[in-house]
Amino acid sequence: MNIEDFVRKDIHNLEPYKPITSNWDIKLDANESPYDVPDQIKEEIWAEVKKNMFARYYDPTSEKLREALAAYTGAEKEQIIVGNGADEMISTLLLAFGGPGREVIIPTPTFPVYKTFAVISGARPVEIPLKKPKGMDEIWEPDYEGIKARFSKTDPQILVICYPNNPTGNYFSDDKVIELIEGFNGIVVIDEAYYEFGGRSFVPLINKYKNLAVIRTFSKAFCLAGLRIGYMVANEDIIEEIYKVKLPYNVSLFSQIAGQVMLKYTHFMEEVKENIIRNREYLYNALKSIGGLTPYPSEGNFILVRFSKGRDEVYNGLRGKRISIRKLEGEALKDCLRISVGSREDMDRMILEMKRILEGIE
Ligand SMILES: *Cc1c(COP(=O)(O)O)cnc(C)c1O
């Protein structure tokens, strides 16, 4: 008996998600916050969680967390759905609106999860390359005309925009994205996982554009990557369809309460955000002062760096020093590495080792 004969062909061809699991001294590979939630806030989460029976299923609609999110986002609570991370929101949206016969248009390089879940849904991912910047003063921009040329008038499609884009770090032009939304026959997903660091958002436009769905997360600026909380903001018609697809009890008691408590302490998140933005400028300037590489400006908590030589030597050399940063897949990024913004101390160590490695290969 051969399991390969039983599994769906398109699933068999996927690569499993294998996170970098070693015990690193310095971990700058997953865009996590280097700052943890303070003990006082953790204690409050425990205390709230303890008031509830673990034996019972908890609220399948995350009612209280949605109320808090309505206040935070300015949307109505009926326009919000909560998921087990932003990843689950991407997955359910693609299951509900993708599927066999549908196309998912993805400007790439970007977050690889869109393509994976497009395939899992049975849809066809259509990757349209960003225009690679030639010089320091250029940014990665979508090929707007190329994207429009793929628009179908007859068959509903999905368009995914990562805003700001992971891993390139920049926002795309608002006007151009709006032009895409207006001409599109299907759902436009805006992934705002890094919203807090850059401050620009499409949430105010969800009432104007009924086909717009915005996805956000608690994993980055809210420092809760380990607890898996994400959400989608869109008009009620979209949200209702998503409810049909999501797992019945997708967000645990623990996660829902943690999300609610964190939204009481947005000043903690604001402080984290300010620190990260300061550290981001510090890292950008430090990288800029090193010869042979180009850091791209970033609106997230990470910086993409292009190496004119020694990309692999730097990556492997840092690993040898127990420092992990991210190597990315694909032709467009074959000379690039992505570095998460960490603590000053961790970034200084990383920069020092990077300089040593680059000097060694000159
Ligand atoms: C980190 C990230 C996510 C995943 O968020 P989770 O809530 O942890 O699942 C989604 N989109 C982008 C672009 C990300 O970088």
Side-chain angles (χ1 to χ4, degrees):
M1 197 198 307
N2 197 347
I3 298 299
E4 225 182 290
D5 297 334
F6 304 154
V7 71
R8 281 168 46 185
K9 290 280 168 287
D10 48 356
I11 299 295
H12 185 65
N13 292 334
L14 290 174
E15 289 290 328
Y17 184 71
K18 288 205 206 81
I20 308 169
T21 47
S22 303
N23 276 322
W24 304 100
D25 290 344
I26 295 179
K27 193 173 182 299
L28 301 171
D29 58 23
N31 297 349
E32 298 143 317
S33 165
Y35 312 108
D36 198 15
V37 175
D39 276 346
Q40 184 211 330
I41 301 183
K42 285 187 178 175
E43 295 299 336
E44 187 171 332
I45 295 171
W46 309 155
E48 284 301 315
V49 168
K50 253 181 101 174
K51 289 180 188 161
N52 295 272
M53 276 182 78
F54 287 12
R56 300 275 185 214
Y57 290 112
Y58 198 61
D59 180 5
T61 65
S62 303
E63 173 89 10
K64 289 211 186 92
L65 179 50
R66 281 190 298 115
E67 276 168 19
L69 280 169
Y72 178 65
T73 60
E76 305 292 326
K77 77 176 200 289
E78 292 75 20
Q79 296 173 318
I80 300 170
I81 184 167
V82 181
N84 192 348
D87 287 349
E88 193 205 10
M89 296 286 88
I90 296 164
S91 155
T92 46
L93 187 130
L94 288 165
L95 284 172
F97 292 93
R102 299 274 163 95
E103 284 185 342
V104 181
I105 301 176
I106 309 169
T108 46
T110 191
F111 191 50
V113 164
Y114 313 136
K115 183 182 180 181
T116 306
F117 283 113
V119 170
I120 291 170
S121 82
R124 187 147 64 97
V126 177
E127 297 179 280
I128 304 203
L130 301 176
K131 293 182 197 145
K132 191 172 181 174
K134 300 263 177 331
M136 287 281 290
D137 49 349
E138 288 181 49
I139 58 166
W140 298 74
E141 273 288 326
D143 171 7
Y144 296 105
E145 293 315 309
I147 292 171
K148 280 190 200 154
R150 284 302 300 219
F151 282 9
S152 167
K153 289 267 172 286
T154 48
D155 301 316
Q157 295 167 310
I158 298 173
L159 170 63
V160 188
I161 302 279
C162 190
Y163 180 92
N165 187 42
N166 173 10
T168 61
N170 60 297
Y171 284 112
F172 302 149
S173 149
D174 291 8
D175 291 346
K176 298 276 191 190
V177 172
I178 285 171
E179 248 176 57
L180 293 178
I181 297 170
E182 288 180 339
F184 195 59
N185 180 33
I187 304 291
V188 179
V189 185
I190 312 274
D191 185 340
E192 296 185 356
Y194 300 95
Y195 158 69
E196 282 80 7
F197 303 110
R200 283 160 60 176
S201 177
F202 278 80
V203 165
L205 295 180
I206 58 160
N207 290 316
K208 181 165 182 196
Y209 299 112
K210 298 278 179 245
N211 61 336
L212 185 59
V214 178
I215 290 173
R216 290 194 192 160
T217 180
F218 281 75
S219 295
K220 310 283 157 59
F222 281 103
C223 310
L224 290 184
L227 297 190
R228 314 304 305 125
I229 316 166
Y231 57 101
M232 181 188 303
V233 190
N235 92 79
E236 273 183 78
D237 294 343
I238 293 180
I239 299 295
E240 265 171 41
E241 300 302 331
I242 301 294
Y243 268 111
K244 298 172 189 172
V245 176
K246 84 164 183 72
L247 294 177
Y249 298 100
N250 57 332
V251 186
S252 76
L253 156 67
F254 199 105
S255 300
Q256 290 187 38
I257 286 178
Q260 287 168 46
V261 172
M262 285 311 278
L263 287 173
K264 279 172 61 181
Y265 297 104
T266 46
H267 66 83
F268 165 68
M269 179 276 290
E270 294 287 341
E271 217 173 281
V272 169
K273 181 185 83 178
E274 302 290 323
N275 276 328
I276 301 265
I277 290 172
R278 236 189 330 267
N279 290 0
R280 180 177 71 199
E281 300 317 311
Y282 179 81
L283 176 62
Y284 180 80
N285 289 326
L287 289 164
K288 228 174 144 178
S289 73
I290 305 176
L293 54 84
T294 308
Y296 291 106
S298 172
E299 305 278 353
N301 65 344
F302 55 88
I303 290 180
L304 184 72
V305 185
R306 190 158 147 195
F307 291 80
S308 58
K309 62 170 189 307
R311 195 274 304 244
D312 291 339
E313 286 87 341
V314 166
Y315 179 73
N316 292 324
L318 288 177
R319 287 169 80 85
K321 297 284 178 188
R322 302 177 54 78
I323 300 170
S324 180
I325 61 177
R326 181 72 114 216
K327 186 154 88 173
L328 301 130
E329 301 298 320
E331 180 60 25
L333 299 174
K334 66 179 191 316
D335 51 0
C336 294
L337 295 170
R338 191 195 68 193
I339 306 168
S340 304
V341 175
S343 66
R344 273 296 171 91
E345 206 184 337
D346 284 357
M347 294 190 303
D348 282 339
R349 257 290 305 288
M350 188 274 302
I351 294 278
L352 183 74
E353 298 296 348
M354 182 185 282
K355 279 183 180 160
R356 281 189 187 147
I357 295 162
L358 285 169
E359 279 160 16
I361 58 175
E362 247 151 10

